[in-house]
Amino acid sequence: MNTIIVYTSMTGNTELIARTLAKQLTNFGENVEIKDAIDTYADELSSFERILIGSYTWGDGDLPDELLDFYDELKTTDLSSNIGAVFGAGDSSYQHFARAVDLLEDTLTQQGCSILQKGLKIDQSKDLDLQEECLAFTLKLLK
């Protein structure tokens, strides 16, 4: 299956998740392209079967500035023939933990994309095994 992973990252945590997911999917024989959101147009998504979008959450539960152009385009893109999921790094000490994941998931759904599973939220404030969390997410994507 052809998959695109679009992400934005400030500290490198969400990029690490994106690259880990890409590597795991590739190891399972999937065809994966990974792109930074700032270099991606939403209309590119329709040429892929599976869409994965990753973002950190900024401030009080907002999308980061470097994702906004892509997000605005996303809100007008027909994704009814796509499947997808969302992931992101966050800090559970904030009231809106990894809210960008929820916002992006809602937008994919509104644009007709079939969501494969609940978004992956990695708490960067806890000492978790990123590889293990991503592998569990990847295995659910492949079902």
Side-chain angles (χ1 to χ4, degrees):
M1 180 173 288
N2 289 327
T3 301
I4 186 167
I5 300 175
V6 179
Y7 72 92
T8 189
S9 188
M10 177 190 282
T11 62
N13 292 326
T14 305
E15 180 178 7
L16 179 60
I17 298 167
R19 295 203 179 280
T20 300
L21 293 171
K23 182 177 180 183
Q24 290 175 348
L25 286 167
T26 301
N27 288 343
F28 282 104
E30 301 289 309
N31 193 11
V32 180
E33 183 173 337
I34 185 168
K35 294 185 76 172
D36 191 308
I38 207 152
D39 299 322
T40 308
Y41 295 99
D43 63 359
E44 295 175 54
L45 303 180
S46 61
S47 61
F48 294 87
E49 296 162 289
R50 184 188 296 129
I51 300 165
L52 302 180
I53 301 177
S55 178
Y56 65 96
T57 301
W58 180 251
D60 204 21
D62 301 317
L63 294 173
D65 287 345
E66 53 275 48
L67 187 69
L68 294 180
D69 288 342
F70 174 79
Y71 182 70
D72 286 342
E73 292 174 13
L74 188 64
K75 293 188 295 186
T76 62
T77 303
D78 178 13
L79 300 174
S80 57
S81 62
N82 301 96
I83 57 175
V86 182
F87 62 92
D91 185 337
S92 61
S93 68
Y94 283 86
Q95 179 181 359
H96 301 288
F97 170 61
R99 184 169 177 251
V101 170
D102 301 327
L103 294 171
L104 289 165
E105 195 171 272
D106 289 347
T107 301
L108 285 178
T109 300
Q110 290 167 5
Q111 297 316 117
C113 185
S114 296
I115 299 300
L116 294 167
Q117 65 176 312
K118 187 169 175 55
L120 173 64
K121 296 179 179 183
I122 301 284
D123 191 343
Q124 62 193 28
S125 68
K126 295 184 179 176
D127 186 22
L128 297 175
D129 185 350
L130 177 72
Q131 295 289 329
E132 190 175 303
E133 296 265 337
C134 288
L135 182 58
F137 188 74
T138 297
L139 291 173
K140 287 179 185 176
L141 290 174
L142 296 171
K143 284 187 178 181

